[in-house]
Amino acid sequence: MNNGMNAVQFEKYNAQEKWKMENNKPNEHDITEVVAQQSAANPHSENGVIMVINHSKVHPPFSVLWATLLYCAEFICASVLSSMYHKTDDVVWMGLTITFMLVPSVLTQLTLTFVHRDLGRDRPLVLFMHLLQMGPIIRCIEALIVYCQAGKKEEPYVTISRKIKLKHGKGLGPAFECEIGHSERKLAVHRNAFKRTAVIQAFLGSTPQLTLQLYATIQEKYVLPTRLALMIISMISIVYGALVCSVLAIQIKYDDYKVRMKPAAYLCMILWRGLEIATRITTLVLFSTTLTVWVVLVGLTNLFIFFFQPWVEFWARKASLPENIEKNFSKLGTTVVLCMVTFLYACINIFCWSAVQLDLADHDLVEKQPRWRSLAVYYTLRFMENVTLTVLWYYFKSDFYEYVCTPLLVVQLIVCYSLAVIFMLIFHQFCHPCRRLFHYNVEDCLRCSCCWRKKQSQPLEDHEHSPQEHAPPDVTNHLTDRETDIVDDIMEAA
């Protein structure tokens, strides 16, 4: 009897313990925190890496939705405006509008097909949608379906991502490894594909489209509502494409770190890119209304300079073509792809800073080390070019601008571009997510420049009497101290 009672009590005890374990089961965040605390407390963790048990969180594909929305809105507005040009027999405006609508659209379809490798798969519906120029729509629907189905059933991880967390711009602690599942990897492929299409749409379609429509508005001396809507959508698309370029450049250069952009950084980048692009396009359009032939020369000169710059550096290094861009590509195919990438790079730099420097010998095609000298030279020469074009327009302007305060307009263009440069400096000094990892930042450059000018302004006699007092700061020692501090912080956090 006692044995029977003991067996019943033992079963009840097991049931109660099982119920407690099921109800007190920690969630994925708790598991991550416990593992992180245990690994951080153990200084002898293997290779200084913390293994995260749970899968990384799947985020909604907002970038895919936004890129698809911009594509559809611009395509529809351009189609409606082309039909209006057809009714009014504006053959030139209609032909150019259709060209700047279809060329980036076709390139977008090819990019999506290439990234997803659909040519070797049996997907007739998807290919048919691409032929109808509706590829981004079907891709967006696929991404939404993948996101809705993610997390409903447990799936094995595909790969492991290793990143170093950043806090206040510094790398803290050992690297975290996170399991990447099938759903998240599919969404990552969709996001990467739409980032590329957003850049193509912005600088091969929206930029010439906005320039054309603004030129047509000035020439015809009135604003159509559809044309205005198309210009606004094109401007939003260009700014978004520029933001994508800047974020991609940061992610490529700091691939080992988990980069998170703050809202203040995005706001600063929007002001920087918006003012830069708006000022550049307005300057080119105003100059083209006065000296139409010369603006073609200016555009082609910029295009050739930025197109051949990476190739000249490639030939000067006597480097060889990267081999692993695509397994099925021959040397001719690799050269064609590199020419397309270089052409896109040149088109971006005509209107704004591309945020990257091409290295055609590297597998990623991008230089990992930022070059402040290139940034300074680009904005200095671009500022001088914009001022020159604006002044030439002011002296050769037509009678159409009699009712416009042209001196004020010239000052506004110069001030707006100066503000764009200021916001760019503010971003790199205060809002850049990896600013503490810079070897030297904007403040160091300005400080060294001011000290150098001060030294040059001192008389030679003072320099002879007190050479150490006016000596320029040793940038090398300063950089070494900063790098040592960063390494020490990482070791202490580990």
Side-chain angles (χ1 to χ4, degrees):
M1 184 68 180
N2 292 333
N3 293 335
M5 289 297 294
N6 291 335
V8 172
Q9 291 177 357
F10 183 73
E11 291 179 358
K12 288 182 178 180
Y13 176 78
N14 286 340
Q16 291 176 358
E17 291 297 324
K18 185 177 180 181
W19 180 83
K20 289 180 181 179
M21 292 178 63
E22 291 178 353
N23 287 276
N24 296 327
K25 183 179 180 181
N27 54 22
E28 294 180 351
H29 179 72
D30 296 333
I31 294 176
T32 304
E33 294 296 330
V34 170
V35 173
Q37 293 174 4
Q38 292 177 353
S39 301
N42 182 16
H44 302 289
S45 59
E46 184 179 359
N47 297 327
V49 178
I50 296 177
M51 182 62 189
V52 180
I53 293 177
N54 65 302
H55 297 284
S56 58
K57 185 179 179 181
V58 179
H59 298 282
F62 290 125
S63 60
V64 176
L65 286 171
W66 180 248
T68 306
L69 179 63
L70 286 177
Y71 172 82
C72 295
E74 187 170 356
F75 195 93
I76 293 173
C77 283
S79 301
V80 174
L81 186 60
S82 299
S83 64
M84 296 176 65
Y85 286 147
H86 177 69
K87 293 178 181 179
T88 56
D89 294 332
D90 292 327
V91 181
V92 177
W93 302 139
M94 181 189 69
L96 292 176
T97 302
I98 293 175
T99 301
F100 296 144
M101 175 186 67
L102 289 181
V103 170
S105 177
V106 172
L107 293 177
T108 296
Q109 313 306 319
L110 295 176
T111 302
L112 291 175
T113 306
F114 175 77
V115 172
H116 291 278
R117 304 176 185 274
D118 287 329
L119 293 178
R121 301 164 61 185
D122 187 14
R123 305 189 68 184
L125 177 60
V126 174
L127 295 177
F128 180 70
M129 294 292 287
H130 279 294
L131 289 177
L132 296 179
Q133 307 302 310
M134 297 175 64
I137 299 176
I138 191 65
R139 299 294 183 183
C140 181
I141 295 175
E142 288 181 353
L144 291 176
I145 293 174
V146 172
Y147 172 73
C148 293
Q149 293 179 350
K152 291 185 177 181
K153 60 180 180 179
E154 186 177 357
E155 55 185 17
Y157 69 91
V158 179
T159 183
I160 293 178
S161 175
R162 177 180 295 182
K163 298 290 183 180
I164 300 175
K165 284 190 175 182
L166 288 172
K167 186 176 182 181
H168 303 297
K170 289 186 177 181
L172 294 180
F176 279 79
E177 286 187 349
C178 193
E179 297 176 354
I180 306 297
H182 286 281
S183 299
E184 186 177 2
R185 185 172 184 179
K186 290 180 181 178
L187 288 177
V189 172
H190 282 289
R191 290 192 183 97
N192 292 333
F194 274 90
K195 286 177 182 178
R196 290 167 173 79
T197 59
V199 175
I200 292 174
Q201 178 70 26
F203 294 100
L204 297 184
S206 300
T207 306
Q209 191 74 267
L210 177 59
T211 306
L212 170 67
Q213 303 307 327
L214 185 58
Y215 179 82
T217 301
I218 295 176
Q219 292 294 328
E220 296 184 353
K221 300 180 178 60
Y222 66 90
V223 180
L224 291 173
T226 308
R227 183 190 292 159
L228 179 62
L230 179 58
M231 288 192 293
I232 294 175
I233 295 172
S234 299
M235 185 63 191
I236 296 174
S237 176
I238 299 168
V239 174
Y240 177 69
L243 292 182
V244 171
C245 287
S246 299
V247 175
L248 282 177
I250 295 173
Q251 292 176 349
I252 292 173
K253 292 175 183 176
Y254 303 97
D255 185 53
D256 295 333
Y257 298 89
K258 188 174 182 60
V259 178
R260 290 183 179 179
M261 303 287 292
K262 295 182 178 180
Y266 280 113
L267 178 60
C268 191
M269 290 173 63
I270 290 173
L271 293 174
W272 160 30
R273 292 302 196 174
L275 290 172
E276 179 185 8
I277 294 169
T279 305
R280 177 63 175 171
I281 292 179
T282 304
T283 301
L284 290 176
V285 171
L286 291 178
F287 183 75
S288 64
T289 58
T290 303
L291 302 171
T292 308
V293 178
W294 287 98
V295 75
V296 177
L297 180 61
V298 171
L300 291 178
T301 302
N302 279 268
L303 181 65
F304 288 146
I305 289 175
F306 290 109
F307 180 82
F308 287 106
Q309 174 203 349
W311 290 104
V312 171
E313 294 177 354
F314 175 78
W315 292 324
R317 297 173 184 173
K318 297 181 179 179
S320 58
L321 293 175
E323 297 179 356
N324 296 325
I325 292 183
E326 183 63 29
K327 295 180 180 179
N328 298 327
F329 278 2
S330 60
K331 288 187 177 181
L332 178 60
T334 302
T335 305
V336 172
V337 171
L338 293 180
C339 289
M340 294 297 296
V341 172
T342 312
F343 178 75
L344 178 60
Y345 168 80
C347 292
I348 295 173
N349 280 283
I350 290 176
F351 296 94
C352 67
W353 172 248
S354 62
V356 295
Q357 291 291 318
L358 290 184
D359 184 4
L360 301 181
D362 188 76
H363 175 263
D364 294 329
L365 304 179
V366 174
E367 289 188 0
K368 300 299 178 63
Q369 296 297 330
R371 294 192 297 179
W372 294 100
R373 182 177 299 175
S374 301
L375 182 68
V377 170
Y378 176 86
Y379 276 102
T380 301
L381 295 179
R382 184 64 73 209
F383 180 80
M384 295 172 59
E385 181 187 3
N386 286 344
V387 171
T388 302
L389 296 180
T390 305
V391 171
L392 289 175
W393 164 78
Y394 177 77
Y395 282 106
F396 294 98
K397 62 182 181 298
S398 60
D399 297 336
F400 170 72
Y401 300 99
E402 288 183 355
Y403 302 100
V404 179
C405 185
T406 51
L408 179 61
L409 182 57
V410 172
V411 173
Q412 287 177 343
L413 291 175
I414 297 175
V415 170
C416 286
Y417 199 82
S418 302
L419 288 176
V421 175
I422 291 174
F423 280 115
M424 182 268 295
L425 296 177
I426 293 175
F427 170 76
H428 285 92
Q429 179 65 31
F430 301 104
C431 301
H432 198 287
C434 304
R435 58 189 180 277
R436 297 293 181 88
L437 302 178
F438 292 165
H439 293 293
Y440 52 92
N441 54 20
V442 177
E443 182 183 0
D444 297 329
C445 296
L446 295 178
R447 185 185 303 165
C448 293
S449 177
C450 293
C451 293
W452 182 80
R453 291 180 181 178
K454 183 178 180 180
K455 176 179 177 295
Q456 294 295 325
S457 63
Q458 296 293 333
L460 183 60
E461 293 80 5
D462 294 342
H463 178 72
E464 292 177 354
H465 290 294
S466 57
Q468 297 180 354
E469 182 180 357
H470 302 286
D474 192 354
V475 182
T476 307
N477 294 335
H478 180 68
L479 302 183
T480 306
D481 295 337
R482 173 168 293 188
E483 292 176 354
T484 305
D485 293 339
I486 292 176
V487 174
D488 292 339
D489 292 341
I490 294 175
M491 296 301 296
E492 290 175 4

